Amino acid sequence: MKPTKSFLFLFSAVITLSSCNNKINSQSTAKNSLKNAYKGDFYIGTALDINQIEEKDPKVTNLISKQFNSITPENIMKSMFLQPEENKFDFDVSDKYVAFGQKHKMFIHGHTLVWHSQLAPWMSKIKDSTSMAKMLTNHITTVVKKYKGKIDSWDVVNEALNEDGTLRKSVFLNTYGKNFITHAFKTAAAIDSKVELYYNDYNLCNAKKRQGAVELVKNLQKNGAKIDGVGEQGHWHLETPTLEEIEKTILDFSALGVKVSFSELDISVLPSPYGLQGAEISQRFANNEKMNPYPKTLPDSMQVKLAQRYNDIFKLFLKHKDKISRVTFWGVNDTQSWLNDFPIKGRTDYPLLFDANLQPKKAYESIISLKVKK
Ligand code: 9MR
């Protein structure tokens, strides 16, 4: 039987209406969800603390699962927690972290295998290259094997560079020498050939340090080690780094054939002592009223500035979405932020997208608005 003209008309009207509805539905879910708004561009992640991993507050869990599709453990996978004593591994909380990601169908990032800070104290006492090699191999092998096929990407080495681009005089460099980085990447890849391997650092928008990181990546590639990406942490301020510097960072790393992620994004709105940038945790300064100007709330004019800054940055990220794998915020809401205690203890900062009451800020709207028409 041939379909009549009126049947065909009705049929196409139904199809058009339902695709319109789908569009409206996806626009309205995107309006309320970062991960939906940026679906197909890059993962939108957050860093979880232990209470969030253990789902202590259902309101927080709901917010995390609604807004984010990638997670990073803020602290619990650092070596002082995973291997507090030689060969005594503690995977209790990290198992819960991975289970959280699986339950909420998220991209699960591991942070971090080799870092001089939050290092298990016994590791910092290692004095010779043989013992250091043994420790690195054992730690990386045990942890990567444990989460093989479950953790999607690892920060293999974290913050190995000084501001001038030379290698930091860490216990790893002092004992093993500069090839500890190649050793770490090769060990991880040998255990899990599919997991993505990243070098992660802050202030890579600064030309000298960026050049150091470019050399570090090239060196790994020259030595035949697999490196999949570079994480620029993104502990930034309202004025610095400039968009040009951020763009240069994306272009320089992607030119090496590796992915770029913004792995710990937050934007401090507080005055920075002596123009300090980055995340060098050993640098601390005294608190006073001038340095803590918004102890109760952030004035609207500042909310607008923060929103504009996030809008500018995400516009740039979207321009280069083909090069960016993931953008992760360093925390869920402002009260969780490490910036409340760094570089000055006991301040109130407002660096994230959700406020102390878990409500979206103007900064949130400014990022969503780039993807969803009003
Ligand atoms: O957010 C983390 C904070 O709770 C810890 O006290 C601090 C200790 O160094 O580490 C913070 O996270 C850091 C991350 O692991 C690596 N890059 C810099 C981050 C901010 O210091």
Side-chain angles (χ1 to χ4, degrees):
M1 196 175 70
K2 258 186 154 185
T4 61
K5 253 191 185 164
S6 56
F7 172 78
L8 281 177
F9 174 76
L10 202 68
F11 183 71
S12 74
V14 169
I15 295 289
T16 317
L17 203 68
S18 94
S19 93
C20 252
N21 262 342
N22 282 346
K23 252 191 205 149
I24 292 169
N25 281 344
S26 75
Q27 285 272 311
S28 72
T29 50
K31 210 179 199 162
N32 303 315
S33 164
L34 284 167
K35 69 172 183 190
N36 289 341
Y38 282 81
K39 205 176 201 151
D41 298 325
F42 34 74
Y43 286 112
I44 300 278
T46 187
L48 300 186
D49 68 18
I50 189 161
N51 291 320
Q52 294 158 343
I53 291 168
E54 294 185 340
E55 304 199 23
K56 291 274 164 61
D57 182 344
K59 285 203 292 298
V60 176
T61 308
N62 282 341
L63 178 76
I64 295 167
S65 64
K66 184 173 167 188
Q67 300 293 341
F68 302 101
N69 50 17
S70 172
I71 48 173
T72 300
E74 185 179 1
N75 285 303
I76 59 102
M77 286 191 125
K78 295 169 181 172
S79 65
M80 66 182 279
F81 299 113
L82 286 192
Q83 197 187 171
E85 286 172 50
E86 188 165 4
N87 256 321
K88 290 216 169 95
F89 287 86
D90 182 351
F91 292 120
D92 189 30
V93 190
S94 52
D95 281 352
K96 292 182 190 166
Y97 166 75
V98 170
F100 182 103
Q102 289 176 329
K103 175 172 153 194
H104 298 290
K105 300 190 172 48
M106 291 165 151
F107 183 90
I108 306 175
H109 183 66
H111 173 81
T112 171
L113 294 169
V114 181
W115 191 26
H116 63 275
S117 188
Q118 289 174 297
L119 183 68
W122 70 271
M123 294 180 181
S124 65
K125 295 195 186 103
I126 293 174
K127 293 276 184 297
D128 63 279
S129 70
T130 313
S131 315
M132 182 52 81
K134 192 172 142 225
M135 184 285 279
L136 287 172
T137 305
N138 187 39
H139 187 76
I140 296 170
T141 303
T142 309
V143 177
V144 175
K145 195 181 272 173
K146 163 91 177 134
Y147 295 113
K148 184 173 176 174
K150 294 178 178 161
I151 286 214
D152 298 295
S153 59
W154 275 107
D155 287 333
V156 180
V157 174
N158 194 45
E159 302 175 9
L161 293 166
N162 293 314
E163 293 310 293
D164 66 359
T166 57
L167 284 178
R168 182 193 284 270
K169 290 205 179 316
S170 65
V171 65
F172 315 115
L173 183 73
N174 293 344
T175 54
Y176 190 112
K178 66 178 175 27
N179 279 338
F180 82 88
I181 300 174
T182 302
H183 181 107
F185 275 82
K186 283 193 170 173
T187 307
I191 299 299
D192 187 347
S193 60
K194 295 211 181 99
V195 71
E196 292 184 357
L197 305 178
Y198 277 74
Y199 174 71
N200 193 52
D201 213 329
Y202 57 84
N203 283 353
L204 297 179
C205 291
N206 294 353
K208 279 188 179 162
K209 196 165 185 181
R210 179 170 59 243
Q211 193 47 41
V214 165
E215 294 307 325
L216 186 153
V217 173
K218 281 187 178 164
N219 198 51
L220 281 167
Q221 293 171 331
K222 194 183 82 200
N223 291 343
K226 176 175 111 89
I227 171 164
D228 298 284
V230 172
E232 151 60 35
Q233 295 181 5
H235 296 297
W236 293 339
H237 300 263
L238 286 174
E239 314 289 342
T240 57
T242 64
L243 294 175
E244 290 72 28
E245 287 167 327
I246 301 173
E247 183 161 42
K248 185 109 183 50
T249 306
I250 299 171
L251 295 175
D252 281 7
F253 292 125
S254 59
L256 301 171
V258 298
K259 297 178 183 178
V260 180
S261 83
F262 291 89
S263 53
E264 306 184 9
L265 184 59
D266 48 25
I267 296 171
S268 176
V269 300
L270 298 183
S272 174
Y274 314 115
L276 183 78
Q277 290 183 43
E280 179 49 61
I281 207 81
S282 60
Q283 293 169 307
R284 293 199 179 269
F285 302 86
N287 195 352
N288 59 43
E289 261 174 45
K290 203 172 130 232
M291 292 315 245
N292 189 26
Y294 320 113
K296 296 239 158 60
T297 54
L298 189 66
D300 207 51
S301 59
M302 291 301 290
Q303 295 280 11
V304 170
K305 269 195 190 162
L306 181 68
Q308 187 57 54
R309 175 76 165 144
Y310 266 120
N311 184 277
D312 293 342
I313 288 170
F314 269 73
K315 232 183 248 161
L316 181 67
F317 288 170
L318 282 172
K319 179 177 167 194
H320 293 294
K321 64 181 183 184
D322 58 322
K323 307 170 189 71
I324 297 175
S325 50
R326 175 169 59 87
V327 176
T328 289
F329 293 87
W330 205 238
V332 175
N333 72 331
D334 287 340
T335 42
Q336 182 190 345
S337 176
W338 72 295
L339 289 168
N340 294 313
D341 284 316
F342 178 85
I344 298 176
K345 244 191 162 354
R347 295 198 296 178
T348 310
D349 207 340
Y350 302 83
L352 298 167
L353 304 184
F354 297 92
D355 69 15
N357 301 314
L358 301 175
Q359 295 308 304
K361 295 155 62 179
K362 282 198 166 69
Y364 174 88
E365 310 298 341
S366 82
I367 292 179
I368 291 275
S369 73
L370 290 170
K371 297 293 300 182
V372 185
K373 304 276 163 300
K374 270 209 171 148

